[in-house]
């Protein structure tokens, strides 16, 4: 499969479906997949017709099995030391920034988790606004077993989604949990059969797409800011966003300006 097909994007009406398309490698993430995900997010941001996004994996086994270890080995000239791959602040932060593109998109992003969801793939779903899972999905952050800390955002995002204790347990042990346990701890929002998953994801995306896109964007920005500010600051920002919903002001710039004025 050519590198340019490592990530596919299909736009139907106002819903974009982004698919990690390496099923022969359980949709593990290599350079082509990272670049493909980056380009897809940039295209979505530039397209005002898109009002909702579904993010999923190709095939029936895996959303994403995480970083492609073959890419890691190649980057090290054959070394087996997994930790060496993540040397350098700029390089590592650059990878994180691709995931953050999905978190910061003005439209809601729905993860349709159709199987294995490990490592960097798991961390990508944490940037999505809603997480739907099939009932056979498995979740894990196994990096600690390779001698590194999970470093594409899970140490910061996971405790904001599940309890800090559950986050630490999953990060420190690297153990796997199934879809039922993921639902119990709040990691995913809904669990469906494999046959139902994409239908339900499309149904949710179309429901969102039918709403006023500017109001949806403002609501997403306000909720995202709840994770980054104190309650009082968040309430003030919510007020600013609501008052600005009828104007042409950018919610993103509005939020950044507010944060700069309300630093602790």
């Amino acid at each position: 499969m050519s590198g340019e097909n490592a990530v596919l994007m299909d736009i139907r009406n106002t819903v974009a479906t982004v698919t990690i398309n390496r099923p022969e490698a359980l949709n593990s993430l290599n350079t082509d997949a990272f670049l493909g995900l980056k380009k897809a997010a940039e295209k979505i941001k530039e397209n005002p017709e898109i009002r909702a996004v579904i993010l999923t994996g190709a095939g029936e086994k895996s959303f994403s099995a995480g970083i492609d270890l073959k890419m890691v080995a190649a980057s090290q000239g054959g070394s087996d030391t997994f930790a060496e791959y993540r040397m350098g602040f700029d390089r590592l932060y650059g990878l994180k920034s691709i995931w953050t593109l999905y978190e910061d998109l003005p439209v809601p992003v729905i993860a349709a988790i159709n199987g294995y969801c490990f490592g960097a793939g798991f961390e990508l779903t944490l940037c999505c606004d809603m997480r739907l899972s099939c009932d056979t999905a498995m979740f894990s952050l196994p990096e600690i077993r390779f001698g590194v800390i999970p470093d594409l955002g899970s140490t910061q995002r996971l405790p904001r989604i599940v309890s800090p204790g559950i986050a630490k347990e999953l990060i420190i042990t690297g153990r796997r949990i199934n879809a039922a346990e993921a639902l119990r701890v709040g990691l995913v929002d809904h669990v469906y059969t494999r046959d139902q998953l994409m239908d339900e994801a499309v149904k949710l995306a179309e429901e969102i797409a039918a709403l006023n896109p500017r109001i949806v964007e403002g609501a997403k920005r306000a909720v995202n800011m709840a994770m980054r500010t104190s309650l009082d600051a968040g309430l003030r920002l919510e007020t600013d966003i609501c008052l600005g919903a009828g104007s042409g002001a950018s919610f993103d710039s509005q939020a950044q300006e507010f944060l700069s004025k309300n630093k602790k």
Side-chain angles (χ1 to χ4, degrees):
M1 181 179 296
S2 64
E4 63 188 30
N5 292 321
V7 173
L8 304 176
M9 184 164 72
D10 176 55
I11 302 173
R12 298 189 182 184
N13 297 320
T14 53
V15 176
T17 299
V18 177
T19 304
I20 304 169
N21 187 40
R22 304 187 70 231
E24 75 289 350
L26 297 178
N27 298 320
S28 59
L29 299 159
N30 63 0
T31 299
D32 291 327
F34 275 108
L35 292 177
L37 286 164
K38 181 176 184 289
K39 290 177 181 178
E42 291 170 343
K43 288 178 180 179
I44 291 166
K45 186 175 182 180
E46 293 168 1
N47 188 340
E49 300 301 315
I50 296 174
R51 297 188 178 182
V53 177
I54 298 170
L55 183 59
T56 193
E60 299 183 351
K61 292 183 178 180
S62 182
F63 173 82
S64 173
I67 293 284
D68 188 334
L69 297 184
K70 292 181 180 178
M71 179 184 72
V72 176
S75 72
Q76 299 165 9
S79 169
D80 291 328
T81 308
F82 186 62
E84 290 179 10
Y85 171 68
R86 289 171 159 90
M87 291 178 66
F89 180 91
D90 290 342
R91 184 178 184 188
L92 179 54
Y93 198 79
L95 292 179
K96 294 177 193 282
S97 70
I98 297 173
W99 278 196
T100 302
L101 287 173
Y102 285 87
E103 186 172 54
D104 289 344
L105 282 174
V107 298
V109 181
I110 301 163
I113 303 164
N114 56 313
Y116 298 130
C117 187
F118 297 160
F122 183 125
E123 292 177 294
L124 176 57
T125 68
L126 301 180
C127 298
C128 297
D129 300 289
M130 300 134 198
R131 284 167 293 280
L132 314 185
S133 171
C134 71
D135 54 6
T136 57
M138 297 293 293
F139 300 82
S140 178
L141 291 167
E143 285 87 344
I144 202 162
R145 297 175 183 266
F146 292 95
V148 296
I149 296 170
D151 50 19
L152 290 185
S154 58
T155 66
Q156 302 306 301
R157 292 188 176 101
L158 188 56
R160 290 168 163 83
I161 294 170
V162 302
S163 72
I166 292 295
K168 289 176 183 176
E169 182 178 341
L170 292 176
I171 290 168
I172 291 170
T173 66
R175 71 163 60 110
R176 295 185 182 188
I177 61 171
N178 60 24
E181 180 68 3
L183 180 64
R184 187 188 72 81
V185 301
L187 176 59
V188 300
D189 306 303
H190 301 281
V191 173
Y192 301 104
T193 65
R194 186 180 299 280
D195 291 340
Q196 292 176 315
L197 178 63
M198 284 306 296
D199 288 342
E200 293 296 332
V202 169
K203 187 187 301 183
L204 178 57
E206 290 178 342
E207 181 180 354
I208 292 168
L211 302 171
N212 183 318
R214 183 156 176 80
I215 300 300
V216 171
E217 178 185 353
K220 173 175 173 172
R221 296 292 186 200
V223 175
N224 280 357
M225 283 298 139
M227 304 298 184
R228 306 175 189 176
T229 65
S230 67
L231 176 59
D232 181 63
L235 291 172
R236 292 174 183 273
L237 176 62
E238 179 186 72
T239 304
D240 280 356
I241 287 178
C242 289
L243 292 175
S247 72
S250 162
F251 288 129
D252 190 39
S253 60
Q254 205 175 343
Q256 294 305 319
E257 181 181 356
F258 182 87
L259 285 175
S260 67
K261 291 179 179 178
N262 291 272
K263 290 181 178 178
K264 291 183 179 180

